[in-house]
Amino acid sequence: MSTYEWEQLREHLPAWLEESRQHHVHGNVASYIPELSKAPRDALGIYIMDGKGQSISAGDCGLSFTLQSISKVFTLILALMDNGEEVVFSKVGMEPTGDRFNSMLKLELVEPGIPFNPLINAGAIAISSLIAGNSTEEKFTRILQFFKLLTQNDTLVFDEDTYASESATGHLNRSLAYFLTEKGILRGKVEDVLEVYFRHCAITVNCSDLARMALILAYNGYDPVAGVPLIPRRYVQIAKTFMTTCGMYDASGQFAIQVGLPAKSGVSGGILSMVPGRYGIGVIGPALNRMGNSTTGVHLLETISQSLDWSMF
Ligand code: DON
């Protein structure tokens, strides 16, 4: 971290965070997965890590939360590592949808009938079916191991209650998965694929885990703290591009203009972002805006990026 930025963050981050926290009144905690509704609506935390492993944090950055859609970036990377680009892009496209993340509208409407991208639910479910392994257990264990490697956190687990809550209420995801099976896109049994998907969405992290995962993307697949390459550069490039075009769903364009950094949000209120070549960033703010992104988290990232001129564009 440059001395100037470090000092700016040290001086201003707590106040920027408290100002952004006020915006929780404009959002609501997700409740379509009943377990998520227990999250504190006014929580907000951030953790920023640089390539030397130095960090700065503020607010409720110790709060645990489930990755939800943030996990989709990393299952995509694992599926690419397991199968290569040709196989992956025969099952999912490369374009934003302009629809809700769980919409099935375009699946039937637009040929060739594959999900538009791997970050919407239909695409991520198709990706879950591409993870190598002889059983559901083995596939999920491989995902968890990969996430442990990226976070350097050997204690990562998935939250049984959130998993059970989503599995019991995930009718829309089930219908997407059956539709994809009918179209020949899904490999394996629907319920097995959904179990892998629901479980990886329920992996529990905190802001420092998110920042650590983001740091590896910021350094093109190289872990600058441990000094080891973890992901081929090409697959990180693909993941970061999807984060920029679709990572914040229908607000991805607005986020690119206001913040200008690759990012991925989840319905638990997490946002993983990064300053390429420099920092990994993890944010949690459970109150979501209309688009399904953390309202406080987006506000805080806008404030920091505009104050420190972090936009890539
Ligand atoms: O499948 C779902 O609906 C959730 N497990 C994940 C959705 C999500 O995080 C969308 N993000 N903003």
Side-chain angles (χ1 to χ4, degrees):
M1 194 147 332
S2 79
T3 315
Y4 171 76
E5 285 188 340
W6 185 263
E7 278 167 9
Q8 288 293 303
L9 284 169
R10 214 192 283 281
E11 188 178 337
H12 298 294
L13 193 59
W16 288 339
L17 183 131
E18 290 312 323
E19 208 233 311
S20 297
R21 193 198 293 276
Q22 307 305 317
H23 290 259
H24 75 270
V25 296
H26 305 306
N28 286 303
V29 174
S31 57
Y32 78 100
I33 300 173
E35 192 66 20
L36 294 183
S37 64
K38 296 179 180 167
R41 185 177 176 219
D42 63 349
L44 180 61
I46 186 165
Y47 196 102
I48 304 170
M49 189 185 275
D50 75 5
K52 294 193 182 108
Q54 297 183 97
S55 61
I56 189 153
S57 60
D60 308 302
C61 59
L63 192 71
S64 291
F65 54 95
T66 53
L67 278 169
Q68 298 301 334
S69 285
I70 299 169
S71 61
K72 297 169 179 175
V73 173
F74 300 94
T75 50
L76 167 67
I77 290 173
L78 189 57
L80 283 163
M81 289 164 73
D82 284 348
N83 303 273
E85 276 180 61
E86 203 178 319
V87 170
V88 167
F89 289 118
S90 69
K91 306 282 186 189
V92 295
M94 301 181 183
E95 306 302 334
T97 61
D99 301 324
R100 283 190 336 272
F101 61 84
N102 52 9
S103 173
M104 53 167 48
L105 192 66
K106 294 216 171 75
L107 275 182
E108 200 174 15
L109 222 51
V110 184
E111 283 302 319
I114 58 172
F116 264 48
N117 68 68
L119 299 186
I120 52 171
N121 286 7
I125 292 168
I127 292 293
S128 292
S129 85
L130 293 178
I131 302 298
N134 291 319
S135 63
T136 304
E137 202 54 50
E138 191 182 332
K139 288 176 195 196
F140 178 67
T141 303
R142 289 191 63 248
I143 294 172
L144 190 61
Q145 278 303 122
F146 185 50
F147 288 21
K148 283 180 179 176
L149 183 70
L150 299 175
T151 54
Q152 291 288 305
N153 178 356
D154 217 31
T155 68
L156 280 195
V157 286
F158 78 103
D159 182 57
E160 297 268 3
D161 292 341
T162 308
Y163 160 77
S165 179
E166 179 162 23
S167 183
T169 55
H171 311 303
L172 197 49
N173 281 331
R174 261 193 189 87
S175 63
L176 290 171
Y178 277 100
F179 188 90
L180 295 174
T181 302
E182 165 68 23
K183 292 278 181 188
I185 294 165
L186 224 61
R187 275 191 196 161
K189 290 199 193 114
V190 173
E191 285 303 325
D192 293 351
V193 174
L194 284 169
E195 190 174 335
V196 173
Y197 173 77
F198 291 145
R199 282 209 216 179
H200 73 63
C201 286
I203 292 173
T204 303
V205 294
N206 60 28
C207 288
S208 90
D209 295 318
L210 278 192
R212 196 74 167 77
M213 291 173 105
L215 190 68
I216 290 155
L217 302 184
Y219 281 77
N220 293 317
Y222 181 76
D223 183 335
V225 182
V228 284
L230 296 177
I231 305 169
R233 183 189 159 90
R234 171 68 180 156
Y235 299 154
V236 175
Q237 186 180 48
I238 292 171
K240 285 199 290 199
T241 309
F242 277 124
M243 290 170 77
T244 307
T245 57
C246 329
M248 303 297 281
Y249 297 107
D250 283 354
S252 297
Q254 188 179 356
F255 191 87
I257 286 172
Q258 303 288 28
V259 182
L261 301 172
K264 180 74 201 89
S265 66
V267 280
S268 52
I271 303 177
L272 176 149
S273 189
M274 80 208 67
V275 183
R278 300 167 74 196
Y279 313 128
I281 306 171
V283 179
I284 179 66
L288 306 180
N289 61 24
R290 271 188 318 115
M291 300 298 191
N293 299 317
S294 167
T295 184
T296 50
V298 168
H299 188 274
L300 181 57
L301 288 170
E302 273 178 20
T303 307
I304 301 172
S305 178
Q306 289 175 15
S307 304
L308 298 179
D309 195 17
W310 276 356
S311 174
M312 307 187 305
F313 304 108

